[in-house]
C-alpha cells in the first residue's frame, strides 16, 4: 500500500467508529420498548383533525381500536391516563407488561 493510500484510507474510518446503541422507542400506551415493528398511531384520529403521531406496538394499537370509537379517542386526546382508566384497557396493559416487545395475539373486538 502506498503512503498516499495509508493517509486517505476511505474504509479505515468505518472500522474505527464505534457503533452507537440504537435509540429505544417506547410504546405510548403500555410504556414497554418497541420491537422491530412500530406502528405510528394518531391518538386523535385523522378524521377528527388529529395530526400528532405516537409509536405503539401493533397489539396495543389493535386493542385500543377495539375498545374505543373515534369520538371517544378524540375526547381523550393525548391523555394516556384517561384511556387507562378503562378497566378492559388497564387489564390488557397489565397482562402485556411481561411479554416480548414483538409479541402478537388475536384481539377480540368489543361488542357495541
Amino acid at each position: 500500500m502506498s503512503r498516499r493510500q495509508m493517509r486517505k484510507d476511505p474504509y479505515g474510518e468505518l472500522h474505527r467508529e464505534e457503533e452507537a446503541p440504537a435509540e429505544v422507542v417506547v410504546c405510548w400506551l403500555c410504556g414497554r420498548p418497541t420491537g422491530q415493528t412500530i406502528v405510528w398511531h394518531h391518538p386523535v384520529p385523522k378524521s377528527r383533525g388529529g395530526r400528532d403521531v405516537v409509536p405503539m406496538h401493533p397489539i396495543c394499537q389493535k386493542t385500543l381500536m377495539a375498545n374505543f370509537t373515534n369520538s371517544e379517542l378524540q375526547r381523550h386526546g393525548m391523555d394516556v391516563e384517561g384511556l387507562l382508566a378503562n378497566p378492559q384497557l388497564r387489564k390488557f396493559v397489565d397482562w402485556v407488561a411481561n411479554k416480548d416487545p414483538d409479541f402478537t395475539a388475536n384481539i377480540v373486538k368489543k361488542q357495541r
Side-chain angles (χ1 to χ4, degrees), residues 31-44:
R32 297 180 303 138
T34 56
Q36 291 185 349
T37 306
I38 300 173
V39 175
W40 292 95
H41 175 74
H42 290 269
V44 177

Side-chain angles (χ1 to χ4, degrees), residues 13-50:
E13 291 181 21
L14 293 177
H15 298 294
R16 285 185 218 126
E17 290 180 14
E18 294 180 17
E19 290 185 24
E23 184 178 327
V24 177
V25 179
V26 178
C27 179
W28 177 73
L29 184 64
C30 69
R32 297 180 303 138
T34 56
Q36 291 185 349
T37 306
I38 300 173
V39 175
W40 292 95
H41 175 74
H42 290 269
V44 177
K46 285 173 61 175
S47 63
R48 305 292 178 139

